Structures are given as C-alpha cells and as structure tokens.
Amino acid sequence: MVVTDKKIYIETYGCQMNVADSEVVLGILGNEGYAPINSPETADLILVNTCSVRDNAEKRVHQRLTELRAYKQNNPEVLIGVLGCMAERLRTELIEKNNVVDIVVGPDEYRKLPKLVEDAYAGQRGIAVKLSRVESYDDITPLRTEGITAWLSVMRGCDKFCTFCVVPFTRGRERSRTLTSVVEEVRKLSEQGVKEVTLLGQNVNSYKDSNYDFTDLLQEVASVDRTMRIRYTTSHPQDMSDKLIEVMAKNDNICKYIHLPVQSGSDRILKLMNRTYTIDHYLNLMKKIRLAMPEVAFSTDIISGFPTETVEDHQMTLEVMKEVRYDGAYMFKYSPRENTKAWNMNDDVDDKEKGRRLNEIVLLQEAISNEINQSMIGKTVKILVENDSSRSSDDLMGRTDTNKKVVFPRGNALIGEYRTVTIERATAHTLIGTLTAGENA
Ligand code: SAH
Ligand code: SF4
Ligand code: F3S
C-alpha cells in the first residue's frame, strides 16, 4: 500500500471504549502515513466515531454529519467516514440516506480502514461492519494523545444483554486481550511517563485469558509500576468478586473508586432489565466493599422511566441513592433501542414524566455530591496533576485517588506529579484548593 501524507481528523462520541478505539484507529492509519490533526478545517479524512446507546446520542451525530458536509462542499476530495456503534447499527442506511458519508466501519473492522479509505479516494464508497468473535486489536499500538493518562481496552463486547441496552448488538460477543500483551503495554506506557492507566471493558469481570481472570490481570498490571495509578471500569454488580475487592484493597496504586451501575432501585424493574441482581445483593456488596476500603468512592448509572416504572419504583431509586450516597452519577431517561428486548415492551412512561423523575434524581445526586464535597473542606488530599484547568490558565487540575477533580493555582506544580492540596472550597463537581507547601507527595 502507498504511504500517504494525508491528514486525518477524528471526533469521538460515546463511552471511553470509543475513545480507546479512536486511538487504535489512529494507530492503524498512522502506520500508513496518516497524521492526526485537531480540527476538521484542513483534514483530508474526517472520521466520526459514534455511539448508539440512546436516541439523542445518535441525533447529535446526524446533526454533526450535516455540519461536516460543508467541508466536503469546500473540497470534494475530503472523505467522511462513520465508525463505531452507529456504523454497526445503521450500516448501509448511513450511506444511502446520507450522501455526505463515504465509508462506514463497525468496531471490529478497523484493520480494513486503510483499504477502505484508499478505495473511497478512487471513488468507491465502502462498508465493513462484520462483528468478530476474536478481534481484540491485541497487536495494534494505539496512538495516544491524552498525555499522562491512558485508556486501555482489555476486553471487547458484552454478553449480558440487559434488556434496554444496544451494546451487545453493536459490539458483539465478549472477548479478551491476552494478559501478557496488556501487561507489556502498561510497561511501555510507564516507560513513556504515563502516570495513570484505566483498564476498560463493558463488563471487566468477564475478562478471561486461559486461567487468568480480571483480578489476576489487575494484580499484574498494578505490579508493573507502583508510581502508576490503576483504574478500571465497568464492573457488573452481579459479578464483582471478593477476590477483586481483596486485590483492590491490598494494592495502594489501584484507585479506591468504583463505578458500579445500579440502574434502578426497584427489584421488579431490575428483573425486567435483566440486571440479574437484587437491591439487597447490591447493598450488601457495597457494605462489603466499604468494610474492606473505608475511603472508597462510588459512582453509578441510573435510568429513569423504564417500561412499567411506577412512581413507587422511582421512589425506591431515590431511596437507594440516599442509602448509598454516591459520590457521582450518570443519569439518563430511558430511550428505547431497536433489537433490544425492551424495544418490544410498551414505552409507557411518557417523556414528560421521565423528565420529571430524572430531574428529581439529578437534584438529589447534586445535593449528595455537594454535601460529600463540602465535607472535604479543610482536608489535605493527594492528587495526580493531570492538566491545565479548563477555566483558567493560572490553574491546574488534578484528581484524587477517589476520582474527585481538584483545581488549584499552579504554583511550582507540574503535570504528571503527585502533589498535596488543601481543600478550601467545593461545588458538587469540583474541589478548589491550594498546594501544600514543601515536598511533592
Ligand atoms: N457496560 C456498562 C455501561 C454501558 S452503557 C454497564 O453495564 O454498566 C452506559 C449506561 O448507559 C448504562 O449503564 C445505562 O445506565 C445507560 N443506558 C444504556 N442503554 C440505555 C437506554 N436504552 N436508555 C437509557 N439509558 C441507557
Ligand atoms: Fe449494556 Fe448491560 Fe452489557 Fe452494560 S452489561 S454494556 S448495560 S448489556
Ligand atoms: Fe455508545 Fe457503543 Fe459505547 S453504543 S456507550 S459507544 S459501546
């Protein structure tokens, strides 16, 4: 294949796995000479890595494709490609209904991108959307652009089939990377100065490489470099094992932050969702985790207005939130997705009522997050300095082990250092403080 000097711009929607996939895509195309740039204006190839999880995620992408049409009108040589979950779900529809799209590539077909792009430049629009039982991009070096933090997919796909969720259809069956290749990649990242790695999977508990499970992988990864923070997401509440809790508790560099999506506080709704746990199980699990790691922080995902959800069911969700006191939450209105089991259930909570319930959930969470953060005032916390603050160039942003954002005047601190900060003010989403004088943490 001819190596090119073309410029590529990629825009990413959806979950962190898509962020990691975009880096894989840049890795694959980088080998052919494509150089990444940060805006679409001068790009030869514009890729949009898409999400199908809710209808509004898809609407946003359709809207964006309409906007991107302008770049093609200015320069007919520009190619536009749709990647990711919408490519998988909508396939030919994207090319047929939308004359702005030249190539459509599903999540397991990124190795074909160089060929598809080449064909498209020769006038042949192309589609590749087969799902694979084995593809894990194990041997591809992703082109990372996030500085001192890195995402690393350790497994792909999902076999859980929660009845609301399109992911098993857009990402296909579960499969894992090898333990040795993950550990090797983490070692390389450490050598490159990366300070935090987040292991990714829709359901990391299903990780499997011959006799190794996720806890073995986590232990191995944590042992690579003790100055490197290790995070992971997502663990399914049904499958989170005692062994996982133990490995987290005994490794100081595994962050004490767990995203544990509850979805609903009602056992009846959880059953309809095929979540396979009860609230009793969930709360006991949380107790066990807190006993092993008293400092742990939790976040969750919650859906409002799943089919047949009553005001009483909704109330149970609020009760669970009050009982657990999550540090943070991602909260959504139920959105029916084609092919899922729930698609055939009657979407009987009207949009206004879904919105009203969601609003109550959001307000309660804001209040809880705010209370938890206010209680941090006066405390001194250890942070990893990650970035310039988005608000002011005088400030830096770092995170605590428990994933709380901390903003502070930069002083002599550098990105990539561990420092301590004393918290002076707090909002529901951010802690604000000043560097503690003296040594690095
Ligand atoms: N694998 C992860 C999450 C994947 S999707 C897990 O199991 O937790 C992220 C979140 O989107 C889900 O946890 C759920 O809360 C939400 N979600 C998924 N499908 C949805 C739908 N059809 N409508 C509304 N929210 C949805
Ligand atoms: Fe979707 Fe459930 Fe799989 Fe998460 S575990 S990706 S919510 S099917
Ligand atoms: Fe969206 Fe696909 Fe992730 S549907 S949430 S981008 S797996």
Side-chain angles (χ1 to χ4, degrees), residues 86-325:
M86 276 173 80
E88 196 57 51
R89 200 179 85 73
L90 299 170
R91 303 172 173 223
T92 49
E93 202 183 309
L94 279 167
I95 281 195
E96 283 158 7
K97 281 202 186 153
N98 195 326
N99 60 12
V100 79
V101 178
D102 301 288
I103 47 179
V104 174
V105 191
D108 287 347
E109 296 264 52
Y110 296 145
R111 286 178 202 269
K112 291 197 181 138
L113 263 166
K115 174 82 172 80
L116 286 162
V117 173
E118 199 180 322
D119 290 351
Y121 276 119
Q124 170 112 43
R125 294 161 125 200
I127 296 194
V129 289
K130 265 215 204 82
L131 287 171
S132 160
R133 285 187 175 265
V134 292
E135 180 62 272
S136 63
Y137 301 110
D138 218 16
D139 56 320
I140 304 281
T141 308
L143 203 154
R144 294 195 164 86
T145 51
E146 300 220 356
I148 61 142
T149 59
W151 308 108
L152 205 165
S153 294
V154 300
M155 58 154 318
R156 302 179 68 83
C158 184
D159 291 353
K160 284 280 178 193
F161 289 93
C162 303
T163 58
F164 51 80
C165 184
V166 79
V167 172
F169 303 93
T170 60
R171 293 274 167 168
R173 300 290 59 77
E174 285 172 354
R175 71 219 93 119
S176 303
R177 285 185 58 175
T178 59
L179 181 134
T180 45
S181 83
V182 173
V183 170
E184 197 39 46
E185 192 168 337
V186 172
R187 198 183 314 281
K188 281 198 193 123
L189 290 170
S190 152
E191 282 162 15
Q192 289 162 17
V194 166
K195 286 286 168 205
E196 180 178 296
V197 171
T198 306
L199 307 180
L200 300 174
Q202 292 297 353
N203 173 24
V204 290
N205 307 101
S206 296
Y207 177 86
K208 200 165 169 38
D209 173 19
S210 53
N211 288 329
Y212 300 119
D213 64 12
F214 182 66
T215 55
D216 302 319
L217 178 75
L218 193 59
Q219 180 60 66
E220 287 296 312
V221 165
S223 310
V224 169
D225 173 356
R226 291 294 175 183
T227 72
M228 200 181 211
R229 279 182 171 176
I230 310 300
R231 300 184 185 278
Y232 68 87
T233 195
T234 305
S235 187
H236 191 289
Q238 192 209 347
D239 302 333
M240 185 154 184
S241 65
D242 291 352
K243 195 172 150 205
L244 179 51
I245 300 171
E246 201 181 296
V247 168
M248 284 187 80
K250 77 170 184 224
N251 287 276
D252 281 347
N253 61 328
I254 302 179
C255 292
K256 305 299 179 273
Y257 167 79
I258 307 179
H259 182 61
L260 203 59
V262 68
Q263 313 296 0
S264 165
S266 154
D267 283 345
R268 190 183 65 82
I269 296 293
L270 287 174
K271 195 153 188 214
L272 287 175
M273 288 176 162
N274 190 33
R275 287 294 287 183
T276 64
Y277 52 82
T278 60
I279 288 300
D280 210 34
H281 168 89
Y282 184 90
L283 294 177
N284 279 331
L285 175 62
M286 293 231 146
K287 265 191 213 131
K288 211 159 42 174
I289 298 170
R290 280 189 165 136
L291 204 63
M293 297 173 274
E295 71 281 34
V296 72
F298 286 110
S299 63
T300 196
D301 292 346
I302 294 174
I303 297 176
S304 84
F306 187 80
T308 78
E309 186 188 74
T310 62
V311 174
E312 289 73 32
D313 294 316
H314 165 63
Q315 204 58 44
M316 292 180 203
T317 299
L318 299 175
E319 290 309 317
V320 167
M321 294 171 69
K322 284 183 205 156
E323 172 139 6
V324 174
R325 292 178 65 78

